[in-house]
Amino acid sequence: MRNEPIDPDVDLHTPARRAARPQGQAAVIAAVAVGGGIGAGARYGASLLWPTAAGAFPWTTLVVNVIGCAIIGIFMVVITDVRAAHRLVRPFFGTGVLGGFTTFSTYAVDIQRLADGGNARTALAYLALTLLAALASVWAAAHLTRRVIEWRQR
């Protein structure tokens, strides 16, 4: 038996559970890595197309994060409610591509730079706006996707 981390909620003493245990994570890691490169490349492209000047409101990062969250909302509904996806689709697209595309680390750096530059109100507004817009985006996209699916099934 390999020395891999085990979910504490899974009882591996049951033969059926033991047989269902994944035997390798190389494919998952590769899928996340390739997807992450694609997503990060797309985000970098957005920053080249719409650069943010030093000290200015970071609209590009905000828009990228809101769009990425909306796509996550759609994606999760499709792969959980509509059809079962290959086991590597979620790590590749959800964790990799969309994880690489959205950039909450840059969001944190943007807040710090705004605050350090004497724009504390703008930093706080950006902090709140991004949080609310990202949550609203993922919720609205998931909700609308479910409604469209229900409508199409009638």
Side-chain angles (χ1 to χ4, degrees):
M1 194 185 292
R2 293 183 184 174
N3 211 5
E4 296 178 281
I6 298 171
D7 183 351
D9 296 329
V10 176
D11 180 10
L12 293 178
H13 294 97
T14 306
R17 295 285 188 155
R18 202 171 28 246
R21 182 173 163 233
Q23 293 302 313
Q25 297 298 319
V28 173
I29 292 168
V32 171
V34 170
I38 293 167
R43 176 176 26 94
Y44 179 68
S47 72
L48 292 177
L49 290 172
W50 193 7
T52 301
F57 192 88
W59 287 107
T60 305
T61 304
L62 173 69
V63 170
V64 162
N65 285 337
V66 170
I67 289 171
C69 286
I71 296 170
I72 287 169
I74 294 165
F75 174 68
M76 292 309 294
V77 168
V78 169
I79 69 165
T80 57
D81 295 0
V82 176
R83 70 168 54 148
H86 185 276
R87 72 180 190 92
L88 295 177
V89 169
R90 189 173 181 170
F92 169 76
F93 191 72
T95 305
V97 174
L98 295 174
F101 181 67
T102 57
T103 175
F104 288 90
S105 58
T106 300
Y107 159 68
V109 170
D110 288 342
I111 292 166
Q112 182 177 4
R113 285 185 181 156
L114 286 168
D116 290 348
N119 299 310
R121 285 185 183 176
T122 303
L124 287 173
Y126 175 56
L127 184 146
L129 179 62
T130 299
L131 176 65
L132 295 174
L135 289 173
S137 176
V138 73
W139 179 85
H143 179 76
L144 290 172
T145 302
R146 284 190 181 96
R147 295 299 139 300
V148 168
I149 291 166
E150 289 172 3
W151 175 75
R152 290 191 69 194
Q153 290 176 346
R154 288 183 193 169

